[in-house]
């Protein structure tokens, strides 16, 4: 089988296609014929380096954590899935339910105890896979394990309800998926971007209010105006260092800020008194458990929610796809299609 691996860090040019033997499952393992994989910003950090992500990773390593495929072989004691099932590998292989713990936090794909999924075939424990929504293609389903579950986990842990105002930053995979979930909950959605063209695209997906933060650098004040001085009930902060303070300004008294990304950096001075006096709940989100995933799948099937896919690349063009993601011109997710040789 073909596998993509990174033989060194610091450059996308270090990615190479190699040949490996197809794995053989033990009693509790399954073999997945991978059909698609989606890209996350974390994948670039793992390969290129940055923000301390992946500093202890052993080289060479197989990248990417998010994918979808079909179960083609199972161990003799497997009971959760069977050949023919369409499944996602889960981001945290050992986080089945409950709160995240230090032990299960090391069980992520492509960086934790397990290598990534950018291969024609992947072998995993049966507990680390789950069936994806029946109405999705493999390309669409590949977007779910990280971005989809992160968006779902952030909104559900924030206690979203009908009539809430949700502020979403940017138009990437987490934000576009959160938009669709928030609308399914009956929420009002404000979205920010530096591109009017991107804002017009998310408007067609249901966004209620649009803010170009290049035109309006004090976008938190614009949120306050749009909400008649109240502020957003829930904010999904994807920027980190350069956005968190404005998120604090933009959220209502007693509101929730779910921190789901660090696109602009990790360290920034904060005005602590506002955080205190507004009684804001600052919630770090690290994807989610298998239970979060299964709750998300039920909601997607009921509402027939479709993930937003921006562009699809073949497996041979993985470096090109990652470079495209770096440009940040996408809306939704960038996906690799994995076609097995005959």
């Amino acid at each position: 089988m073909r596998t993509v691996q990174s033989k060194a860090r610091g450059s996308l040019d270090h990615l190479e296609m190699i040949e490996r033997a197809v794995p053989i499952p033990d009693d509790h393992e399954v073999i997945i014929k991978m059909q698609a994989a989606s890209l996350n910003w974390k994948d670039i950090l793992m390969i290129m380096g940055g923000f301390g992500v992946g500093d202890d990773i052993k080289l060479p390593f197989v990248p990417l954590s998010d994918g979808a495929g079909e179960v083609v072989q199972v161990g003799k004691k497997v009971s959760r899935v069977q050949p023919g099932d369409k499944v996602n590998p889960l981001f945290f292989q050992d986080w089945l339910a409950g709160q995240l713990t230090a032990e299960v936090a090391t069980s992520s794909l492509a960086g934790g105890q397990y290598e990534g999924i950018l291969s024609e075939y992947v072998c995993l424990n049966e507990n680390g896979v789950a069936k994806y929504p029946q109405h999705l293609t493999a390309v669409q389903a590949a977007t779910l394990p990280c971005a989809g579950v992160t968006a779902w986990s952030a909104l559900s842990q924030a206690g979203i309800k009908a009539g809430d105002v949700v502020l979403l930053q940017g138009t990437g995979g987490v934000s576009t998926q959160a938009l669709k979930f928030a609308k399914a909950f009956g929420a009002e959605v404000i979205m920010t971007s530096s591109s009017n063209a991107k804002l017009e695209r998310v408007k067609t997906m249901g966004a209620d209010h649009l803010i170009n933060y290049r035109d309006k650098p004090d976008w938190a004040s614009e949120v306050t105006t749009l909400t008649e001085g109240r502020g957003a009930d829930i904010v999904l902060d994807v920027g980190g260092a350069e956005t968190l303070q404005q998120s604090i300004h933009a959220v209502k008294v007693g509101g929730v800020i779910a921190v789901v990304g660090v696109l602009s950096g990790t360290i920034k001075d904060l005005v602590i008194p506002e955080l205190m006096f507004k009684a804001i709940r600052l919630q770090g989100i690290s994807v989610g458990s298998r239970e979060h995933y299964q709750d998300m799948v039920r909601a997607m099937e009921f509402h027939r929610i479709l993930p937003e896919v921006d562009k699809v690349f073949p497996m041979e063009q993985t470096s090109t796809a990652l470079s495209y993601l770096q440009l940040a011109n996408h809306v939704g997710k960038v996906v690799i299609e994995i076609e097995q040789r005959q």
Side-chain angles (χ1 to χ4, degrees):
M1 71 175 186
R2 295 177 301 166
T3 294
V4 174
Q5 70 175 18
S6 179
K7 58 186 176 181
R9 301 189 75 211
S11 172
L12 298 179
D13 294 334
H14 294 151
L15 293 175
E16 60 181 2
M17 188 91 73
I18 63 170
E19 293 283 344
R20 282 185 174 181
V22 176
I24 299 172
D26 71 13
D27 287 352
H28 292 282
E29 290 180 332
V30 304
I31 302 297
I32 306 168
K33 182 173 70 174
M34 300 302 297
Q35 297 168 327
S38 72
L39 308 183
N40 296 296
W41 187 251
K42 180 184 79 74
D43 300 320
I44 293 176
L45 298 180
M46 294 294 297
I47 296 167
M48 299 291 293
F51 302 157
V53 175
D55 285 350
D56 58 350
I57 197 166
K58 296 180 180 179
L59 296 168
F61 73 97
V62 178
L64 307 195
S65 58
D66 288 12
E70 179 181 339
V71 176
V72 292
Q73 187 179 356
V74 300
K76 59 185 179 182
K77 295 184 179 179
V78 169
S79 59
R80 293 195 64 251
V81 294
Q82 59 186 357
D85 284 346
K86 308 291 189 178
V87 298
N88 286 133
L90 299 175
F91 183 85
F92 286 111
Q93 287 289 290
D94 299 340
W95 188 9
L96 305 184
Q99 293 296 314
L100 182 65
T101 65
E103 290 75 21
V104 300
T106 63
S107 69
S108 64
L109 293 170
Q113 301 173 35
Y114 305 93
E115 67 178 12
I117 53 81
L118 193 50
S119 297
E120 290 181 315
Y121 294 89
V122 170
C123 181
L124 295 169
N125 186 280
E126 62 174 317
N127 286 322
V129 303
K131 298 176 188 177
Y132 62 71
Q134 296 180 9
H135 64 290
L136 300 186
T137 66
V139 164
Q140 293 168 329
T143 70
L144 297 180
C146 185
V149 175
T150 295
W152 176 266
S153 181
L155 293 174
S156 59
Q157 290 188 57
I160 189 173
K161 59 186 184 300
D164 278 351
V165 175
V166 177
L167 171 62
L168 304 173
Q169 299 170 358
T171 60
V174 173
S175 294
T176 54
Q177 196 62 46
L179 165 62
K180 298 187 179 191
F181 291 151
K183 297 308 295 182
F185 275 106
E188 183 178 349
V189 177
I190 304 170
M191 295 194 76
T192 70
S193 174
S194 63
S195 164
N196 287 330
K198 290 182 181 181
L199 289 172
E200 286 302 312
R201 283 186 62 181
V202 295
K203 183 178 180 179
T204 66
M205 299 178 210
D208 299 285
H209 306 286
L210 312 172
I211 302 173
N212 186 316
Y213 63 78
R214 297 289 187 203
D215 298 338
K216 298 177 179 178
D218 185 16
W219 48 265
S221 294
E222 186 69 13
V223 173
T224 302
T225 300
L226 288 171
T227 57
E228 299 181 344
R230 182 168 170 264
D233 296 276
I234 301 169
V235 178
L236 265 63
D237 190 286
V238 303
E242 298 301 323
T243 57
L244 187 53
Q245 188 62 63
Q246 287 226 54
S247 292
I248 292 172
H249 295 331
V251 76
K252 75 171 187 178
V253 173
V256 179
I257 300 174
V259 180
V260 300
V262 290
L263 293 179
S264 64
T266 58
I267 300 174
K268 190 74 173 180
D269 293 335
L270 295 178
V271 180
I272 302 299
E274 185 176 9
L275 187 67
M276 295 166 55
F277 296 149
K278 291 178 75 172
I280 296 165
R281 175 154 64 91
L282 198 60
Q283 176 75 57
I285 299 294
S286 186
V287 193
S289 65
R290 191 176 77 190
E291 184 176 50
H292 288 127
Y293 173 92
Q294 291 171 326
D295 289 343
M296 176 195 71
V297 167
R298 284 192 290 270
M300 292 187 72
E301 290 182 333
F302 181 80
H303 292 286
R304 308 298 288 182
I305 294 171
L306 298 176
E308 196 68 23
V309 175
D310 182 275
K311 196 167 184 179
V312 180
F313 292 82
M315 188 177 180
E316 294 81 2
Q317 295 180 18
T318 297
S319 294
T320 303
L322 286 161
S323 296
Y324 177 73
L325 183 69
Q326 278 185 308
L327 295 174
N329 291 326
H330 59 289
V331 175
K333 296 291 287 183
V334 179
V335 178
I336 302 290
E337 192 163 28
I338 303 171
E339 295 184 357
Q340 279 79 14
R341 295 164 297 181
Q342 299 299 320

